Amino acid sequence: MTKPLNKNVLNIKPSGIRKFFDIVSEIKGAISLGVGEPDFDTPWHIRDEGIYALEKGRTFYTSNSGLKTLREEISKKVNRMRRVEYNPQNEILVTVGGSEAIDIGLRALVSNGDEVIIPEPSYVSYYPCTVLAGAKPVIINLKGENEFRLKPDELLNAVTDKTKVLILPFPNNPTGAIMEREDLEAIRKIIIDNDLYVISDEIYSELTYKEKHVSIVSLEGMKERTVLIDGFSKAYAMTGWRLGYACAPKEIISQMTKIHQFAIMCAPTTSQYAAISALRNGDSDILEMKKSYNMRRRFLINAFKKMNLECFEPYGAFYVFPSIKEFNMTSEEFATRFLEEEKVAAIPGNAFGESGEGYLRISYAYSIENLKIAIERLERFITKLRKEQNKS
Amino acid sequence: MREELLQIIEKNSKIAPNELAVILGVREEDILNELAALEKEGIICGYHTLIDWEKTSLEKVNALIEVRVTPQRGQGFDRIAERIYNYPEVRAVYLISGGYDLLVTLEEKSLKEISNFVTDKLSTLESVLSTATHFILKKYKDHGTILDKKHNDEREIITP
């Protein structure tokens, strides 16, 4: 074949994570801090419900937007958490993970030439999905000194007359940053004044350690312009089930459903049945897992403090994002040496955007026992680096 | 903090107070005071180790004995329970609702020792009406811990 493949796709750079993955795979016996998914098994009652669905032969397609009962439970759950009502009939779409919702949300909202504002560091798929949807990504480089929260002046500087969508990725992967109510209030007016849509990716909404997660949809005038994305992967340790959802005004959901219908048909049926049990009986599971994450979070923050490694205290997701700027090397150099010399894999911050340069994403989706080993090695490693620096 | 502290040390009584302080976000002093208070109030009754004896060369036989008894006037089941739990070979005694009254668990070196206990000691107690002895063949899970669980992390080593 001599005809070139899709230019848009060809132009997309493979993710920095992929590159690092290839390096890690070469190292035998490495321990990892690089995983973006819970270490817990899916709670048994949820798995059991999936098994039961299979036993009963519930192996057919569901309706495009997902099982009605599931959408009703999602509606209740969203209301429990955010005090915002979505009609399960036409304002909720069950998707294949939050990832699909990001993709089709963007595709439903933007046309060629529109601009999409993406705060970084953030999850790796916003940029390529924006490009594939034919729009132009406009990056905001969030700052460490703001604890990687989005500030109103940063947003204002990024808005042009072509801006259509703001992506709001909080609680944030990879920084662990959250946006509190006053942070959201501060950007609300800019969003409304400029008539922007918001894609609020709240996949880590259950995992906050300061106050309960505040969603932008609970702010006045925001529900009608926001696609709220959440899912089961992080909250219920259900990554492999591939199940998420989008809540939005019916005008948007109906367009997203069209894309979903033609590209996906419906989310996996077994997962949907299992998810009903997650929503009905899973609140206490979340609480238990969250307690565990919080202990590990405190453990890491304390360990960094002791070794004088600069790190703001993150209040969300299951990541810490320490700065390695004192060592005068790039994130990739640091991560590669850490891997080669101590056999620990942590993801270089720049894999999540340029503004992640000088940082390292460390996941605490690991038991404290594992974290202890990793932290010992990190301490040994940075002690060595500091000695090297003193010599030269 | 009390409840969380108990939940942690119920699973891991070996964890050091300074570590508890870090993961619970309090001072070490608070942990030490709280532990002392919990012991004093009899909420913490002991610190045990969960052992899978199967994996050792020591022979142990465990039995569950269902006991039906006649409750005694003014004392209910407490007195007969006391008679039973005072035997050192008895590991646990529970008052049970339903088809029988007391569940007694026993750990001995051999079947014979258990049968001796049941026939000589337990059955001869005046208020014991009947017993049914069940031997434990295999322990899969004990004290909330799956004994043979393999901890393979099957996740991809790096994911976004």
Side-chain angles (χ1 to χ4, degrees):
Chain A
M1 299 300 287
T2 52
K3 287 182 182 168
L5 301 179
N6 182 316
K7 251 191 299 180
N8 276 341
V9 179
L10 288 172
N11 284 337
I12 291 173
K13 285 181 288 181
S15 90
I17 289 181
R18 191 67 228 173
K19 200 168 121 197
F20 197 62
F21 182 85
D22 294 336
I23 302 174
V24 176
S25 319
E26 296 293 306
I27 308 276
K28 282 209 179 83
I31 60 172
S32 179
L33 298 173
V35 163
E37 59 180 322
D39 56 317
F40 301 100
D41 294 332
T42 306
W44 177 250
H45 67 93
I46 301 173
R47 284 188 275 161
D48 191 42
E49 205 57 39
I51 295 166
Y52 183 67
L54 288 174
E55 272 177 4
K56 287 288 247 181
R58 291 174 175 152
T59 53
F60 305 104
Y61 296 129
T62 68
S63 75
N64 295 132
S65 45
L67 290 167
K68 185 164 165 279
T69 319
L70 177 58
R71 279 178 283 133
E72 283 164 2
E73 291 298 331
I74 290 170
S75 171
K76 283 187 217 162
K77 169 86 185 180
V78 171
N79 194 16
R80 273 205 299 280
M81 281 190 74
R82 300 174 176 86
R83 297 271 148 240
V84 178
E85 298 251 6
Y86 285 96
N87 185 346
Q89 287 292 358
N90 50 22
E91 293 185 317
I92 294 174
L93 173 64
V94 179
T95 56
V96 179
S99 326
E100 188 210 339
I102 296 167
D103 178 31
I104 63 176
L106 278 164
R107 287 203 267 164
L109 291 177
V110 301
S111 304
N112 278 346
D114 288 342
E115 291 180 357
V116 175
I117 296 179
I118 305 172
E120 285 185 348
S122 57
Y123 184 60
V124 293
S125 78
Y126 307 126
Y127 192 105
C129 285
T130 300
V131 173
L132 289 174
K136 182 182 162 213
V138 174
I139 304 301
I140 295 179
N141 289 313
L142 299 177
K143 296 193 184 75
E145 68 249 38
N146 297 329
E147 300 191 344
F148 293 102
R149 296 178 193 214
L150 174 61
K151 293 292 172 186
D153 55 317
E154 294 172 328
L155 177 58
L156 211 50
N157 287 336
V159 173
T160 71
D161 52 358
K162 293 201 180 94
T163 310
K164 178 74 102 31
V165 179
L166 164 67
I167 305 242
L168 208 54
F170 297 96
N172 183 271
N173 170 11
T175 64
I178 57 168
M179 290 281 277
E180 293 182 71
R181 183 171 295 279
E182 60 264 32
D183 301 310
L184 294 172
E185 283 292 357
I187 60 168
R188 189 185 73 96
K189 195 170 174 307
I190 303 170
I191 293 167
I192 290 176
D193 287 350
N194 292 282
D195 197 20
L196 307 182
Y197 288 107
V198 175
I199 293 182
S200 189
D201 183 354
E202 303 179 17
I203 192 75
Y204 291 95
S205 61
E206 291 280 2
L207 304 178
T208 59
Y209 312 101
K210 193 174 187 187
E211 54 180 45
K212 237 177 98 179
H213 169 70
V214 183
S215 170
I216 194 144
V217 295
S218 63
L219 270 50
E220 200 197 325
M222 289 309 304
K223 187 197 157 187
E224 44 269 55
R225 56 179 68 247
T226 302
V227 176
L228 162 66
I229 296 173
D230 205 335
F232 298 87
S233 297
K234 318 293 175 176
Y236 299 96
M238 290 179 70
T239 46
W241 298 77
R242 306 310 306 125
L243 206 66
Y245 51 87
C247 303
K250 62 174 190 289
E251 296 74 21
I252 300 176
I253 285 291
S254 61
Q255 299 312 310
M256 286 172 69
T257 306
K258 263 201 260 172
I259 309 173
H260 175 78
Q261 164 186 347
F262 294 126
I264 302 283
M265 182 72 104
C266 69
T269 304
T270 313
S271 306
Q272 291 193 50
Y273 277 104
I276 294 172
S277 181
L279 293 168
R280 283 186 180 158
N281 311 308
D283 283 1
S284 60
D285 300 311
I286 295 177
L287 221 60
E288 282 307 309
M289 291 191 262
K290 187 170 138 176
K291 256 191 222 167
S292 219
Y293 289 132
N294 198 10
M295 289 177 197
R296 302 158 180 193
R297 184 185 70 93
R298 290 189 186 121
F299 170 78
L300 286 180
I301 292 295
N302 182 267
F304 292 161
K305 224 179 256 168
K306 274 204 271 186
M307 59 178 101
N308 268 321
L309 189 62
E310 188 190 327
C311 186
F312 78 99
E313 182 171 357
Y315 293 108
F318 39 61
Y319 309 104
V320 287
F321 207 58
S323 161
I324 46 119
K325 288 179 180 163
E326 62 164 302
F327 304 106
N328 291 318
M329 47 171 103
T330 64
S331 296
E332 273 180 41
E333 283 164 357
F334 185 96
T336 309
R337 272 193 66 182
F338 188 30
L339 177 66
E340 283 167 354
E341 293 168 32
E342 292 290 347
K343 294 200 188 308
V344 181
I347 300 186
N350 67 318
F352 303 92
E354 259 169 53
S355 47
E357 182 52 73
Y359 296 88
L360 208 59
R361 188 192 79 171
I362 290 182
S363 159
Y364 49 88
Y366 298 92
S367 71
I368 292 230
E369 288 69 38
N370 287 347
L371 291 178
K372 264 186 201 162
I373 301 170
I375 284 299
E376 261 169 39
R377 297 188 191 182
L378 178 63
E379 188 165 15
R380 191 163 60 200
F381 182 60
I382 66 174
T383 309
K384 184 162 89 181
L385 292 183
R386 280 172 184 156
K387 266 188 204 151
E388 279 175 23
Q389 275 184 318
N390 284 342
K391 263 184 217 154
S392 58
Chain B
M1 164 179 91
R2 177 167 269 216
E3 197 183 307
E4 259 184 292
L5 175 61
L6 286 171
Q7 277 174 352
I8 298 168
I9 61 172
E10 187 180 20
K11 283 277 171 204
N12 178 10
S13 57
K14 250 180 88 180
I15 185 168
N18 63 353
E19 203 177 309
L20 282 166
V22 168
I23 63 176
L24 290 174
V26 298
R27 292 173 313 159
E28 186 177 348
E29 203 186 317
D30 300 332
I31 295 286
L32 291 169
N33 289 339
E34 190 66 12
L35 286 172
L38 286 162
E39 285 172 21
K40 202 171 157 210
E41 291 168 41
I43 294 173
I44 294 177
C45 311
Y47 298 87
H48 294 274
T49 308
L50 183 60
I51 297 169
D52 187 359
W53 288 103
E54 277 289 297
K55 297 197 181 96
T56 71
S57 53
L58 269 171
E59 287 285 323
K60 298 234 180 217
V61 182
N62 283 272
L64 303 175
I65 309 164
E66 300 171 5
V67 187
R68 285 180 57 236
V69 298
T70 329
Q72 282 154 318
R73 192 181 187 109
Q75 310 256 357
F77 293 97
D78 294 354
R79 204 185 140 133
I80 177 67
E82 188 183 350
R83 289 292 303 270
I84 297 173
Y85 68 60
N86 274 330
Y87 288 109
E89 53 268 59
V90 168
R91 290 174 60 92
V93 178
Y94 308 108
L95 180 62
I96 303 287
S97 67
Y100 58 98
D101 305 307
L102 296 172
L103 178 66
V104 176
T105 75
L106 214 59
E107 184 174 276
E108 289 286 11
K109 289 191 197 68
S110 66
L111 272 175
K112 189 153 180 269
E113 282 177 335
I114 289 189
S115 93
N116 283 349
F117 174 82
V118 175
T119 48
D120 299 349
K121 295 171 178 164
L122 196 56
S123 305
T124 55
L125 289 174
E126 215 177 291
S127 33
V128 169
L129 298 172
S130 70
T131 66
T133 304
H134 309 274
F135 291 100
I136 292 175
L137 303 180
K138 181 172 179 178
K139 287 187 184 174
Y140 293 98
K141 188 175 182 182
D142 210 1
H143 291 88
T145 302
I146 298 168
L147 297 179
D148 252 338
K149 184 149 181 161
K150 291 179 192 74
H151 288 282
N152 287 340
D153 193 342
E154 290 177 21
R155 295 175 292 173
E156 296 279 312
I157 192 157
I158 299 263
T159 52

